[in-house]
Amino acid sequence: MSFLIMYLILTSYFQLLPSIFTMSDVVRFFHLVLFFPLAYGLAKVVLKTGFEGYGLVFFRGWHRNLFIGLAIGFIGWVCLFTLQFMIGRYEYIGIKPVGDVIVMLVIIIVGFGLGSLINDMIVRGLVFHHFMGKLPVGVVMLISITLYALDDAWLEGLTLQNTIFSVVLGLSLTYAFYKTKSIWANTGIHLGLNIVYGLFFGVSGRSGDGVFIFNDNQISSLLSSWLSTIIAFMLFIIVIAVFKSKNGVVLSKIPIEKG
């Protein structure tokens, strides 16, 4: 019951409020920032803990996990958009003026950075903190992936194709969290792919709101429609190869050691 209460409150704040009220970039920024005291307060009252109840913990090497994940997600989605241009889905026109690019990059990194972290705290950190040790690992991962797919439906709609894509992408994010026992690696992956997406569609998700100017030709080929899911599955294979490593490249241990 405690998990359900926290999940509903946090998801309603994060996803429902922006769908009810129109938010400018400034208002949306404060909306995202204010999530953290809300989440911390709930964790203190309900879980008798702090941000560690969401997997938001610091240890020696946390930043390494973040940047490894960031590189994986960024390169994966660069490949996705490159292929979409090659098959004719998108047509490059140009890039916006330098001043606009700088502003947009700040908005994209801050907006998607906070948004990715918050989403990961809710659908992975909170899930693993509450259910790990009580349920089999596979069931915990299934719950997390299911909630991620439902959460993604707020933005993309609840369709079969979008659901399959969210499930496949959720495999990488959830596996990275499970293997590192903290939020940084999967948030890095999440942020990396969101940054590339934002370069084309901005934080609004609308064509033309990003850094690049391009035409969306809306071709209806099977390859174009499922390319993001294919790349997401390939990303999962890469994530498995990277995070199953025991060579010390990825450091993440609980109990937490600050540093």
Side-chain angles (χ1 to χ4, degrees):
M1 182 60 71
S2 60
F3 168 79
L4 183 60
I5 291 171
M6 292 187 67
Y7 174 77
L8 290 176
I9 291 174
L10 295 175
T11 299
S12 295
Y13 177 86
F14 180 51
Q15 298 285 14
L16 186 59
L17 286 184
S19 67
I20 296 176
F21 304 102
T22 302
M23 294 186 178
S24 64
D25 288 337
V26 174
V27 174
R28 176 62 169 165
F29 170 75
F30 283 105
H31 169 253
L32 293 174
V33 169
L34 290 174
F35 171 89
F36 294 93
L38 171 63
Y40 183 81
L42 276 175
K44 279 293 184 182
V45 172
V46 180
L47 302 178
K48 309 304 180 185
T49 183
F51 284 127
E52 60 268 28
Y54 304 98
L56 183 57
V57 291
F58 296 90
F59 52 89
R60 188 174 294 121
W62 68 269
H63 55 284
R64 187 178 302 178
N65 284 352
L66 177 67
F67 286 110
I68 289 174
L70 184 68
I72 293 172
F74 188 89
I75 293 172
W77 251 231
V78 166
C79 292
L80 169 62
F81 276 86
T82 299
L83 290 171
Q84 291 285 26
F85 275 98
M86 290 177 63
I87 65 177
R89 167 68 187 271
Y90 301 135
E91 180 183 356
Y92 179 77
I93 296 177
I95 190 170
K96 293 182 178 179
V98 175
D100 292 342
V101 168
I102 293 173
V103 172
M104 284 305 306
L105 284 176
V106 171
I107 293 174
I108 289 167
I109 293 172
V110 173
F112 278 131
L114 292 174
S116 298
L117 180 59
I118 289 170
N119 176 260
D120 295 332
M121 288 171 64
I122 297 173
V123 303
R124 272 170 284 279
L126 182 61
V127 169
F128 273 82
H129 178 85
H130 186 81
F131 292 110
M132 201 66 177
K134 301 176 183 177
L135 298 172
V137 172
V139 176
V140 178
M141 296 181 74
L142 179 61
I143 293 172
S144 178
I145 293 169
T146 300
L147 291 179
Y148 174 67
L150 291 174
D151 189 80
D152 211 31
W154 285 92
L155 299 175
E156 302 297 334
L158 189 60
T159 66
L160 178 61
Q161 185 171 333
N162 287 335
T163 300
I164 293 174
F165 165 74
S166 297
V167 168
V168 174
L169 181 58
L171 288 170
S172 295
L173 301 175
T174 306
Y175 184 81
F177 187 99
Y178 167 66
K179 293 299 290 185
T180 59
K181 300 183 178 67
S182 74
I183 208 165
W184 303 110
N186 81 267
T187 295
I189 297 171
H190 206 167
L191 176 57
L193 58 89
N194 275 339
I195 287 176
V196 177
Y197 174 85
L199 294 177
F200 295 92
F201 293 95
V203 294
S204 69
R206 294 190 297 266
S207 178
D209 282 1
V211 168
F212 297 112
I213 304 170
F214 66 101
N215 285 330
D216 186 344
N217 295 323
Q218 294 292 335
I219 62 174
S220 57
S221 71
L222 187 63
L223 176 59
S224 178
S225 299
W226 289 96
L227 188 57
S228 58
T229 303
I230 295 170
I231 297 297
F233 182 75
M234 295 176 66
L235 206 65
F236 179 49
I237 296 174
I238 293 171
V239 167
I240 290 176
V242 171
F243 289 97
K244 75 174 183 179
S245 168
K246 296 182 179 179
N247 60 10
V249 173
V250 180
L251 302 175
S252 231
K253 293 183 179 179
I254 293 178
I256 306 309
E257 181 182 358
K258 295 183 178 180

